Amino acid sequence: DMANQEPEDLAKKRNMAFTGNAISEGMAKIMARQGKIERAIEIYEQLMLKKPEKKAYFAEKIKDLTTE
């Protein structure tokens, strides 16, 4: 039951979901802001696989991260 869970448990759950397939551009941006560039790039690479139609857009985002 979610109501009885400690906040840390929810945070752990969220992290587990994140490493699974709850990847998003927003998450990549947060990682980049926190200086976790490698992680942000991984997320963009996963997004490229999930959304091939936006591949060029995500490639541009990766380029921005690697040339800063």
Side-chain angles (χ1 to χ4, degrees):
D1 176 22
M2 302 277 299
N4 302 335
Q5 279 187 333
E6 296 298 314
E8 296 113 287
D9 288 345
L10 292 175
K12 266 190 218 122
K13 271 218 170 85
R14 210 169 284 126
N15 273 340
M16 279 166 52
F18 168 59
T19 52
N21 51 16
I23 57 166
S24 68
E25 191 184 340
M27 193 54 99
K29 284 177 179 168
I30 291 167
M31 289 294 143
R33 258 203 306 274
Q34 290 177 352
K36 297 177 180 150
I37 305 303
E38 297 281 307
R39 190 67 188 108
I41 291 168
E42 276 176 33
I43 294 170
Y44 282 128
E45 285 171 345
Q46 288 176 313
L47 286 167
M48 286 166 126
L49 296 173
K50 281 175 77 164
K51 300 178 180 176
E53 71 280 4
K54 288 183 79 177
K55 193 171 182 171
Y57 171 77
F58 293 130
E60 193 61 35
K61 292 283 181 191
I62 290 172
K63 206 178 97 189
D64 291 347
L65 287 173
T66 52
T67 54
E68 274 176 10

